[in-house]
């Protein structure tokens, strides 16, 4: 009972700081999303409309010239379909109904900045948007770093409390802590991979792969979630990525501490050998000293008896 009270007293202020950090992180992300949406949304829509109009005009011109050639028209239709598919795969919004810079897409873009994932699936069109990336990048990364530090500290205290209670030790060693976070990270990646696979229509390994690439902030960008709706999928990504970053940060920290401890033990110099005690050679030294004293005094001088 005393242990439970002590742990509760320790973790109560930590969880309050964690809640405050999550609220600050959420508010900053939504503020940045609103600014990016205001700057980039209209520009992207105008470009999408212009792209569709140009595509339709070229289609009509080619169809008028090839009206009697069915083979050429079939090839033209196939070419247009391929161009549409390529544009969609690159998420360049070829039509006004598939915009990247909606509010949901803007929030997704802001999260990739704050988490340093940087998928690169779409980028600002305007100079103002590029300047905002630099400005918000500095502010957003500072806020994100502070929030993730608080959350990682809370996770660390909770994990130590768990190990102390399970193993009944005062201070878990680096090996046990690293083993705990390896298991926690692997379980979280598997769980998140299953959620991503189920909600995005991927197979399980693709979901697991996407979870690792995202939570480790590698962020290749060849797989991304459906962010355009700005609904449940984006909220799921927000929560899973935030927790995943915290778990991965603690995992890397614990593994680094473990390697440093093992490396220090291996590189430490060997202990020096103990010298022979002077008391062990005292009788021999004493006898040698008396003989030298007799020789120096000469044959006529008697030495006083010892003791």
């Amino acid at each position: 009972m005393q242990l439970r009270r002590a742990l509760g007293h320790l973790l109560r202020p930590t969880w309050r700081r964690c809640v405050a950090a999550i609220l600050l992180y959420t508010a900053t992300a939504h503020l940045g999303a609103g600014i990016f949406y205001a700057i980039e949304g209209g520009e992207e829509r105008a470009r999408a409309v212009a792209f569709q109009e140009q595509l339709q005009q070229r289609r009509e011109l080619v169809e008028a010239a090839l009206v009697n050639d069915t083979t050429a028209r079939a090839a033209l239709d196939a070419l247009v379909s391929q161009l549409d598919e390529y544009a969609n795969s690159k998420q360049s919004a070829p039509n006004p109904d598939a915009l990247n810079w909606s509010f949901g897409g803007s929030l997704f873009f802001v999260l990739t900045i704050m988490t340093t994932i940087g998928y690169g699936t779409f980028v600002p069109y305007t100079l103002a948007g590029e300047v905002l990336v630099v400005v918000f990048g500095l502010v957003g990364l500072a806020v994100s770093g502070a929030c993730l530090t608080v959350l990682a500290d809370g996770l660390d205290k909770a994990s130590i409390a768990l190990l102390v209670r399970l193993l009944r030790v005062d201070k878990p060693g680096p090996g046990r802590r690293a083993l705990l976070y390896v298991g926690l990270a692997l379980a979280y990646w598997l769980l998140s991979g299953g959620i991503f696979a189920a909600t995005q229509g991927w197979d399980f390994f693709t979901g697991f792969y996407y979870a690792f690439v995202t939570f480790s902030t590698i962020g290749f960008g060849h797989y991304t979630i459906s962010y355009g709706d700005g609904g449940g999928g984006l909220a799921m990504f927000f929560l899973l990525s935030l927790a995943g970053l915290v778990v991965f940060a603690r995992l890397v920290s614990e593994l680094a501490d473990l390697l440093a401890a093992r490396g220090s033990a291996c590189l430490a110099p060997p202990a020096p050998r103990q010298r022979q005690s002077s008391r062990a050679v005292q009788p021999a030294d004493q006898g040698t000293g008396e003989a030298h004293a007799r020789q120096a005094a000469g044959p006529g001088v008697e030495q006083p008896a010892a003791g």
Side-chain angles (χ1 to χ4, degrees):
M1 182 65 67
Q2 294 180 353
L3 176 61
R4 183 177 301 176
R5 290 178 179 177
L7 293 177
H9 178 73
L10 174 65
L11 296 178
R12 189 176 298 112
T14 300
W15 289 118
R16 290 176 180 174
R17 290 195 298 269
C18 290
V19 172
I22 293 174
L23 293 177
L24 176 61
Y25 187 91
T26 303
T28 303
H30 281 75
L31 175 62
I35 298 174
F36 273 107
Y37 173 63
I39 294 176
E40 296 294 328
E43 177 67 20
E44 184 192 32
R45 179 173 293 277
R47 294 194 180 202
V49 172
F51 173 79
Q52 287 295 315
E53 291 177 351
Q54 293 174 3
L55 186 62
Q56 183 62 29
Q57 291 174 1
R58 291 168 184 171
R59 180 196 293 267
E60 292 175 354
L61 290 174
V62 175
E63 287 182 350
L66 303 175
V67 65
N68 295 323
D69 191 343
T70 56
T71 304
R73 292 191 60 179
L76 173 64
D77 292 336
L79 176 61
V80 171
S81 298
Q82 291 176 356
L83 291 175
D84 286 341
E85 182 180 356
Y86 176 79
N88 286 321
S89 67
K90 295 300 181 182
Q91 303 188 43
S92 58
N95 63 74
D97 297 327
L99 298 174
N100 290 316
W101 288 104
S102 61
F103 183 81
S106 301
L107 180 58
F108 176 79
F109 181 79
V110 165
L111 291 176
T112 63
I113 294 178
M114 296 181 66
T115 57
T116 71
I117 296 173
Y119 289 121
T121 49
F122 61 96
V123 293
Y125 290 104
T126 64
L127 177 60
E130 294 177 348
V131 172
L132 182 60
V133 169
V134 177
V135 176
F136 182 81
L138 295 175
V139 177
L141 288 176
V143 172
S144 177
C147 294
L148 291 178
T149 299
V150 172
L151 296 175
D153 180 67
L155 178 61
D156 186 52
K157 290 183 178 180
S159 64
I160 292 177
L162 178 62
L163 287 177
V164 167
R165 187 167 184 176
L166 293 178
L167 302 178
R168 300 184 183 277
V169 294
D170 295 334
K171 186 177 180 180
R176 292 177 175 178
R177 291 163 60 96
L179 184 61
L180 172 66
Y181 278 106
V182 167
L184 178 62
L186 182 59
Y188 190 78
W189 292 340
L190 291 172
L191 175 62
S192 301
I195 295 176
F196 285 133
T199 56
Q200 303 300 314
W202 299 334
D203 58 84
F204 178 78
F205 180 78
T206 300
F208 175 80
Y209 173 81
Y210 176 75
F212 175 79
V213 169
T214 297
F215 302 152
S216 62
T217 71
I218 296 174
F220 289 124
H222 53 310
Y223 292 109
T224 54
I225 64 166
S226 300
Y227 50 81
D229 55 355
L234 192 57
M236 173 199 65
F237 174 81
F238 175 82
L239 295 175
L240 291 179
S241 62
L242 182 60
L245 290 172
V246 173
V247 172
F248 187 79
R250 290 307 312 164
L251 171 64
V252 172
S253 177
E254 295 299 335
L255 290 178
D257 291 343
L258 178 61
L259 291 177
R262 294 294 187 265
S264 299
C266 294
L267 297 177
R273 295 182 179 180
Q274 295 183 354
R275 296 181 178 179
Q276 190 175 4
S277 176
S278 59
R279 294 182 179 180
V281 298
Q282 184 176 0
D285 293 343
Q286 183 177 359
T288 304
E290 291 177 355
H292 285 296
R294 292 192 186 99
Q295 292 178 1
V301 180
E302 293 183 357
Q303 295 293 327

